[in-house]
Amino acid sequence: MALLQILISGLATGAIYALVAVGFMLLWQTSQTINFAQGEFVMLPAFFVLGAMKFGGMPFWLAIVVGLLLSLIVLGVLFKVLLVDPMLRHGVLPLVISTIALALFFKEGVKTWYAAEAQPFPALWSNDNLEIGGAVISVQNLVIIVVAVTAVLALQWFLARTRTGRCMQATAQNPALARILGVRVERMILYTFLINAALVALASFLISPIYLAKFSNGETLGMAAFIAAIVGGFNQVRGAIAGGLLLGVVDNLAASYISTQYRGAIPLFLLIAVILFRPQGLLGRAEERSV
Amino acid sequence: MRLAGRPGAVFLALVAIALIVAPMGLKPHGVYLISMWAVMSIAAIGLNLTLGYAGQISLAQAAFVGIGAYCSAILTAKFGWPFGGAFALAAVLCFAIGWLLGYPALRVQHHYLAFVTLAFTTLVYLVLRNEEKWTGGTYGISGIPRPSLFGWSTKGGPAFYYLCLFVLAVVSWLTWRLVRSPWGRAFMALRENPLRASSLGVDTRRYTLMAFAIGSALGGVAGALYAPLVEYIDPTPFALGLSLNLLLMVIVGGSGYFFGPYLGAIVSVLLPEWLRVTDSLYLIIYAVAVMLLMVVCPSGLLGLAERLLKPARKEPVARAAAKAAP
């Protein structure tokens, strides 16, 4: 029953990756932002919560609310207004450099102003284990899977079924045309940034109780989100979900059955293979090339 | 008299003299830093060829610096090769691997290419860390000797600095020739519009591979100097962080400008050191400085300089036109 355990914990990790990858992909779609700080975006909200509890003396639930609000403001609004907007018209690369610098800023900021050591983060649910058919499964992992999948499905529903969601999709596919049709493109892009901020905050609150909150947490997470987004398909929400889940499971299987040393290499081979042989991703549509 | 008419040449000569006399006024750590600046400039020049001139986004430059560094370290420290041989082999090896890495670039472009090369960097890092028999794993390789060339020992800091500076000068001269040759123009055609370039008869396939191979070879050259400069290497400096840092040097200096990488390397290597007076805040200030720089001048420092200088030159013409108008 070891396999079941590995699969469940793989899916839990994968569900987190999926949350982060979906946000990453939404930003890319609507504003051509390749966010190299996405991993640090996941690291930071946990420290907002810890800071609110430590310096504000707030109870945990209130701190979570404050953490979410701060994430929306800092990682959503301020990120867009201060960094992305001024640079958008200058192409992808200057913005890439800025997000790299932003990642460094967040990492060093947390290290300097909060703590360099890993911080325990209160669990949202109990740490108990369930025994199902001989397999030991942690409640945490199950909760992560349920919450993350629910969040992503809700987002999928929002994008496909509501008026605002469809306007956001129109903005992503053809901003000029969307504007002519009366979509408030600027506002839709802002919504995307807010959704990304909410997704990374959720991922942060789910993952920090397990892996502890540490300033350097973002490095592996950001990389995993890239790979998940590309493997699944850069232009589809469901692609990013599939990519995230697949990556989590493959990562856990590789660690258990192949080699812990080269565990990090398996997702990379997956990435290279997908880009070379199916660049639109496993579930993505081919992008049209302009001459 | 001829020089007086060419302010650019005078300025370059002054910079060259400053670089030659620099070690005399510096402490050992300062000499080490300007040597590091020279080494990183070489790697950034390579990336500027691939990215700035040929328009192929590569996040693999750190891997080539790593391959070059390990190649020269293993051959000189473990097998007792002379430095010249190890140096040449590092360059040739990186040229060959860079050529192979160019093949994905024939299939995919832009951000996809960035991700393939990013994966390559991480894979090389894993190999360096895990193949302990050859690379020493996380313990790395220590006791890398600084070479003696034609009976001239470069063991001291300044002597090794002059070696780095000499290689930088040679690389700069070759690159200057290259970007002004038909090859350089073919690279730029590749960047501006690959489809049009190929319809005009530029062999885009060959030039894409060439752009990768030459840029990578320069990464290898930088690595071959890096190992004896630091005298100890482990896998950590060659992880993705260095690739991002080299990309930062090229973009901040001014991508596609000949002198961009030199300036970018100053920003990346020396600026953090100058900021050290602020103690633990130096990386935070550095990050903010880079973000501000990108917001103010996305085309890099040289792009900003060009923007500031050009209107000044055009002004007389505009004024003349304004006078003629009424």
Side-chain angles (χ1 to χ4, degrees), chain A residues 150-207:
Chain A
T150 312
V152 172
L153 287 180
L155 177 65
Q156 174 88 312
W157 174 83
F158 171 74
L159 287 177
R161 296 275 173 259
T162 67
R163 194 177 167 74
T164 316
R166 288 177 177 208
C167 286
M168 287 173 64
Q169 289 206 18
T171 304
Q173 278 165 18
N174 192 333
L177 192 59
R179 185 169 283 129
I180 292 170
L181 290 174
V183 175
R184 298 163 95 170
V185 168
E186 272 309 303
R187 174 167 295 192
M188 295 306 140
I189 296 178
L190 179 64
Y191 287 164
T192 319
F193 277 77
L194 290 176
I195 289 175
N196 180 49
L199 286 174
V200 292
L202 184 60
S204 184
F205 302 153
L206 287 174
I207 204 169

Side-chain angles (χ1 to χ4, degrees), chain A residues 24 28 34 36 82-83 86-87 90 93-102 104-105 108-113 223 226 230 234-235 260-266 268-269 271-272 275-281 287 289 291, chain B residues 51 57 59 103-105 107-109 111-116 118-120 122-123 126-132 193 195 240 244-245 247-249 251-252 255 280-281 283-288 290-291 294-295 298-299 307:
Chain A
F24 179 77
W28 160 257
I34 300 183
F36 269 84
L82 294 181
L83 217 53
M87 254 175 290
H90 299 291
L93 276 179
L95 192 51
V96 163
I97 298 296
S98 305
T99 58
I100 292 170
L102 185 67
L104 182 66
F105 176 73
E108 291 298 317
V110 166
K111 193 167 120 189
T112 309
W113 290 312
M223 180 69 110
F226 287 148
I230 297 159
F234 222 46
N235 45 25
T260 45
Q261 280 189 328
Y262 279 107
R263 147 185 208 176
I266 309 291
L268 297 170
F269 280 120
L271 171 77
I272 293 177
I275 290 185
L276 289 186
F277 301 110
R278 206 180 146 73
Q280 70 270 40
E287 269 177 43
R289 286 193 188 174
V291 171
Chain B
L51 171 73
I57 301 177
L59 287 173
Y103 279 97
R107 284 189 63 94
V108 294
Q109 284 282 312
H111 48 284
Y112 289 116
L113 187 55
F115 292 133
V116 174
L118 180 152
F120 176 76
T122 312
L123 284 174
L126 286 172
V127 170
L128 293 180
R129 196 191 66 190
N130 294 340
E131 297 304 316
E132 287 182 10
N193 194 331
L195 198 73
L240 186 61
L244 299 179
N245 220 341
L247 182 71
L248 187 146
M249 292 181 211
I251 303 289
V252 164
S255 163
S280 62
L281 293 181
L283 277 176
I284 296 175
I285 299 174
Y286 173 67
V288 172
V290 170
M291 282 189 274
M294 284 289 102
V295 171
S299 49
R307 211 168 69 201

Side-chain angles (χ1 to χ4, degrees), chain A residues 74 77 101 106 145 172 182 210 250 255-256 265 289:
Chain A
V74 175
V77 181
F106 282 156
I145 295 174
I210 302 178
V250 166
S256 318
R289 286 193 188 174

